[in-house]
Structure formats: C-alpha cells, structure tokens
C-alpha cells in the first residue's frame, strides 16, 4: 500500500499569525506532523503544500518534500482545502507516481500519535480502502443544540433530546481534524474526504490528541499540556 502524506500549511492566518511555524516544545508546529509519519512504511512521501518560503524551508529541513510553492489562487483566505489537495495530488501522480491513498495531516493537530496513525492506515487497508476520518466524542451534543428565532430559543433539531438526561443520549462524535485518508479515485469523484455511508471512523478518545490549534487560547493550552507536571493532572 502506497500512501502520500499531505500537509497543507498556508502562510497567512488571521486568528493566529504564523501559527504553522510557531515553536511548540522546541520545534515548529508543522514539524510535529512531519515527524509523526516519517517512519511509517506505507508513506511514500510527505508533501508539504505551502505558499510561504519560510514554511517551505523549515519543512524541507525536517525531511518533507516541498517541490514548489502553492499558487496564490490556492492560498487566499477563501481558497478551498479541497482544491489545494487536488492540486497537490494531481501534480504528484503526474510527476512522481500513482498512490493508493492520500493522507491529509493538518499541522494544527500536533499531538496525534504514531499508534493512531498506524490504526488509521490499517483500517484503510482492511476496509477495502474506504475513507477514514479521525473523530472524537463531542461534549456539545447535537440533540441539545438550540437556535435563536426572533427573541426566543428553538431546538436546532426537530426531534431533539432536551428532556433526555446526558447519560441517556446516543454517542455523538465530531471531526477532530487530525486524520483524513481516502483513495485518489474517491476524492476526485466526491471532492470530499467524507462520503456518507462509506466513511470509517478513527475514534480518538484522548482530548490531548484531539486538540486542534486555531486560536491563541488553543496554542496556550498546547503549551500547558507539554508541561510534564501538568500532564499528570489532565
């Protein structure tokens, strides 16, 4: 099985400037995702798609493959990650070799483990290369969601569970952003990593692994987690 690991690391970030190369635990954030798949035998390359020369240099020095800078049209605030992924996949398969799967690793998920990656790759292999997405239990249950209608609240879902005790609610999960794996054929056909009734869950129970750094608060939390004295109390 031949898997292309892809890291999309744009230079611009409004909520957390320079987040992809911010130092966390002594190394840039993007390097955490590069390091976690370096030794995986299924990974043929770790391709970093970026529009930023500093990110490109840091990623290359960390052992990633950075053959070009991403076109500006795919690096704006409104640019789609789907289009950026297609650009990288099409280029790689036309210039290097075809692959069995494309594994998207967001650089904002630094605490995914090698064991989690191994489980995801194995699930992809044993399930006939069906899509696999990392998910975690959600603490904001969708059956308790509300919306504002005028000056009052209404249940977001018609058949809600607002009168049901939390322990009686069915388990619900959210996409945590740490792991997306799909075959090139499925990705091109559906233009999505998620295919209804076909996508397999890679359940990640660890709150630390599920952390997605998108704000200053998230980054401060990541730094707190790395403190050995605090890890014992999590």
């Amino acid at each position: 099985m031949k898997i292309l690991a892809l890291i999309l690391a744009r230079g611009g970030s409004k909520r957390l400037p320079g987040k992809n190369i911010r130092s966390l635990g002594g190394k840039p954030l993007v390097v955490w995702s590069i390091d976690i798949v370096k030794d995986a035998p299924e990974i043929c390359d770790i391709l970093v798609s970026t529009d930023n020369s500093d990110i490109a240099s840091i990623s290359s020095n960390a052992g990633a493959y950075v053959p070009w800078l991403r076109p500006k049209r795919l690096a704006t605030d409104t640019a789609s990650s789907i289009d950026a992924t297609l650009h990288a996949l099409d280029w790689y398969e036309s210039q290097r070799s075809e692959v069995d799967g494309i594994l998207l690793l967001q650089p904002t998920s630094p605490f995914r483990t090698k064991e989690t990656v191994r489980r995801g790759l194995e699930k992809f292999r044993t399930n006939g290369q069906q899509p696999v997405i990392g998910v975690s239990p959600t603490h904001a249950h969708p059956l308790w969601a509300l919306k504002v209608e005028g000056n009052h609240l209404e249940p977001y879902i018609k058949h809600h569970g607002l009168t049901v005790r939390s322990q009686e609610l069915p388990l619900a999960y959210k996409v945590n952003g740490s792991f997306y794996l799909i075959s090139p054929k499925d990705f091109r056909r559906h233009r999505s990593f998620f295919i209804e009734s076909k996508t397999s869950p890679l359940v990640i129970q660890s709150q630390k692994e599920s952390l997605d750094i998108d704000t200053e608060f998230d980054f401060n939390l990541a730094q707190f987690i790395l403190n050995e004295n605090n890890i014992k109390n999590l």
Side-chain angles (χ1 to χ4, degrees):
M1 190 168 67
K2 195 174 183 180
I3 305 296
L4 172 64
L6 174 65
I7 299 173
L8 302 179
R10 196 167 61 89
S13 176
K14 291 291 197 314
R15 284 179 287 188
L16 190 59
K19 67 179 179 182
N20 288 320
I21 53 176
R22 272 206 184 191
S23 180
L24 177 66
K27 63 181 177 182
L29 194 58
V30 67
V31 177
W32 284 78
S33 292
I34 294 170
D35 286 348
I36 209 65
V37 290
K38 271 185 177 178
D39 301 325
E42 299 91 346
I43 304 298
C44 58
D45 263 316
I46 306 168
L47 194 157
V48 172
S49 170
T50 183
D51 61 318
N52 182 277
S53 58
D54 289 335
I55 296 176
S57 178
I58 288 170
S59 299
S60 181
N61 289 337
Y65 181 46
V66 192
W68 31 255
L69 290 181
R70 193 192 309 175
K72 290 183 179 180
R73 63 182 175 81
L74 297 176
T76 65
D77 289 338
T78 57
S80 165
S81 61
I82 297 298
D83 289 336
T85 299
L86 280 171
H87 169 263
L89 176 61
D90 288 345
W91 184 91
Y92 190 88
E93 290 203 315
S94 66
Q95 300 297 319
R96 300 278 283 188
S97 67
E98 293 186 353
V99 294
D100 299 306
I102 182 162
L103 170 61
L104 180 67
L105 299 171
Q106 293 189 167
T108 50
S109 300
F111 298 138
R112 70 172 75 78
T113 64
K114 290 188 177 183
E115 171 60 20
T116 292
V117 172
R118 188 201 63 76
R119 286 196 299 116
L121 291 170
E122 183 63 14
K123 178 165 283 204
F124 183 71
R125 185 185 68 80
T126 57
N127 286 357
Q129 299 185 356
Q130 291 192 4
V132 180
I133 289 181
V135 296
S136 302
T138 178
H139 302 291
H141 203 285
L143 291 180
W144 280 4
L146 300 169
K147 59 183 176 179
V148 176
E149 293 282 2
N151 292 319
H152 63 276
L153 295 171
E154 290 285 350
Y156 204 87
I157 298 174
K158 183 177 180 181
H159 300 292
H160 60 82
L162 292 172
T163 59
V164 179
R165 296 189 306 162
S166 60
Q167 57 266 43
E168 296 174 350
L169 291 169
L171 291 177
Y173 298 89
K174 64 177 181 179
V175 175
N176 58 38
S178 67
F179 190 99
Y180 301 84
L181 177 55
I182 194 170
S183 70
K185 180 180 178 181
D186 279 340
F187 187 75
R188 290 187 174 108
R189 178 184 298 168
H190 297 276
R191 291 183 59 86
S192 174
F193 283 93
F194 178 79
I195 304 175
E196 191 171 349
S197 301
K198 188 176 180 180
T199 302
S200 298
L202 176 62
V203 178
I204 300 171
Q205 297 289 348
S206 167
Q207 292 184 351
K208 182 175 78 171
E209 274 198 72
S210 303
L211 178 64
D212 182 11
I213 298 175
D214 201 37
T215 65
E216 194 71 44
F217 177 85
D218 297 332
F219 190 83
N220 290 337
L221 178 57
Q223 291 180 310
F224 175 83
I225 289 172
L226 284 178
N227 184 303
E228 287 185 356
N229 293 328
N230 290 328
I231 286 177
K232 297 176 183 177
N233 298 320
L234 289 178

